[in-house]
């Protein structure tokens, strides 16, 4: 199989297995937007260096244990080297969803929240082994545009909320109003104050989710 950028242009998810992983060690399984899948042995010859040039999902990524932002992580040993090794990280535009025994499942960032919702309640092992089948069975590939639209709309909302927060914090009396409202009735009163004083209506759940997104967990 010739490794070209065209080969990977419609890949929406992949499972990377570290050289010492349980299962198919030293391989990467790929899922295309059309439901087809294929795998590559990256330990063969100069395959790894070619992959770094042609596939964005592994370019600059570090796979030596679970990424700290991975939503589904098995309570088992993590592979990798010494504590001095580079910390695990995602490639630009990708988000790791699950880790289990040296195996990582990553998806394109604009689809990540949609897939995370799809896998709710699943164990990391299930996602690693059967994730592609679950995606196909739930017809999630037909919802990729929906996932991406929701992602981009949420990004715009987050940007607007971030700007508002910065403006409010720049106000001399904002923190005083927050402290007073919190003392009067906790979070619910703070949210009511934001609506009355600043004309912005938001729920506690939305703020919590916003915080998780800002930290990179969603």
């Amino acid at each position: 199989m010739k490794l070209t950028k065209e080969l990977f242009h419609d890949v929406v998810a992949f499972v990377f297995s570290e050289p010492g992983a349980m299962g198919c060690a030293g391989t990467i399984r790929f899922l295309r937007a059309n439901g087809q899948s294929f795998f590559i042995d990256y330990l063969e010859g100069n395959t790894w260096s070619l992959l770094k040039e042609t596939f964005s999902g592994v370019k600059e990524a570090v796979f030596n244990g679970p990424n700290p932002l991975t939503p589904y992580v098995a309570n088992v040993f993590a592979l990798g080297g010494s504590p001095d090794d580079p910390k695990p990280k995602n490639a630009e535009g990708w988000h790791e969803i699950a880790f289990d025994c040296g195996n990582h499942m990553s998806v394109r960032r604009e689809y990540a929240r949609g897939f995370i919702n799809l896998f709710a309640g699943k164990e990391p092992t299930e996602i690693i082994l059967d994730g592609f089948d679950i995606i196909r069975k739930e017809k999630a590939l037909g919802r990729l545009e929906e996932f991406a639209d929701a992602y981009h709309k949420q990004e715009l909302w987050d940007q607007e909320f971030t700007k508002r927060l910065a403006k409010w914090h720049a106000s001399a009396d904002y923190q005083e109003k927050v402290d007073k409202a919190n003392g009067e009735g906790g979070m619910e009163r703070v949210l009511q104050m934001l609506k009355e004083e600043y004309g912005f209506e938001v729920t506690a759940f939305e703020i919590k989710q916003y915080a998780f997104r800002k930290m990179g967990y969603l």
Side-chain angles (χ1 to χ4, degrees):
M1 182 181 296
K2 187 176 181 180
L3 301 185
T4 65
K5 291 184 179 180
E6 288 72 23
L7 177 66
F8 304 106
H9 85 277
D10 61 347
V11 167
V12 298
F14 68 91
V15 173
F16 178 94
S17 298
E18 297 177 28
M22 294 181 67
C24 300
T27 66
I28 312 179
R29 291 187 289 125
F30 300 89
L31 178 67
R32 288 190 169 112
N34 63 6
Q36 295 178 345
S37 57
F38 64 97
F39 80 94
I40 288 174
D41 180 350
Y42 64 82
L43 297 179
E44 182 180 337
N46 65 340
T47 300
W48 179 243
S49 60
L50 288 174
L51 270 171
K52 300 278 278 188
E53 295 175 6
T54 55
F55 178 52
S56 65
V58 298
K59 187 176 182 180
E60 306 303 328
V62 177
F63 301 101
N64 61 352
N67 187 291
L69 302 179
T70 303
Y72 304 94
V73 181
N75 187 25
V76 295
F77 67 90
L79 301 179
S82 73
D84 298 325
D85 285 344
K87 294 182 179 179
K89 69 175 182 177
N90 296 310
E92 182 68 29
W94 293 82
H95 187 79
E96 184 177 295
I97 283 183
F99 171 86
D100 181 62
C101 294
N103 301 283
H104 310 251
M105 182 172 184
S106 295
V107 303
R108 290 195 180 276
R109 179 162 292 282
E110 63 265 35
Y111 308 140
R113 293 168 195 162
F115 285 137
I116 287 173
N117 291 333
L118 183 72
F119 293 134
K122 297 288 191 297
E123 294 294 326
T125 306
E126 296 178 84
I127 300 171
I128 294 295
L129 296 178
D130 304 318
F132 291 0
D133 290 333
I134 294 171
I135 289 171
R136 295 189 190 102
K137 181 180 178 181
E138 297 298 327
K139 296 180 170 53
L141 294 174
R143 301 175 59 197
L144 294 180
E145 186 174 345
E146 173 190 334
F147 292 161
D149 285 346
Y151 170 81
H152 292 303
K153 287 178 181 177
Q154 189 67 74
E155 287 293 291
L156 290 175
W157 188 94
D158 288 353
Q159 291 171 17
E160 176 61 25
F161 189 46
T162 299
K163 290 179 182 178
R164 285 175 180 263
L165 281 175
K167 184 177 180 180
W168 296 341
H169 280 289
S171 173
D173 60 350
Y174 172 73
Q175 192 59 52
E176 182 180 338
K177 289 180 178 179
V178 169
D179 293 340
K180 180 181 178 182
N182 189 51
E184 292 174 348
M187 188 61 175
E188 289 303 315
R189 180 67 187 96
V190 172
L191 298 177
Q192 183 182 357
M193 181 275 294
L194 291 178
K195 180 179 179 181
E196 294 173 351
E197 297 287 334
Y198 298 95
F200 190 79
E201 191 168 358
V202 65
T203 66
F205 178 78
E206 288 173 329
I207 290 179
K208 184 177 180 179
Q209 293 291 296
Y210 167 81
F212 281 139
R213 289 191 296 273
K214 293 298 287 184
M215 290 186 289
Y217 287 99
L218 293 176

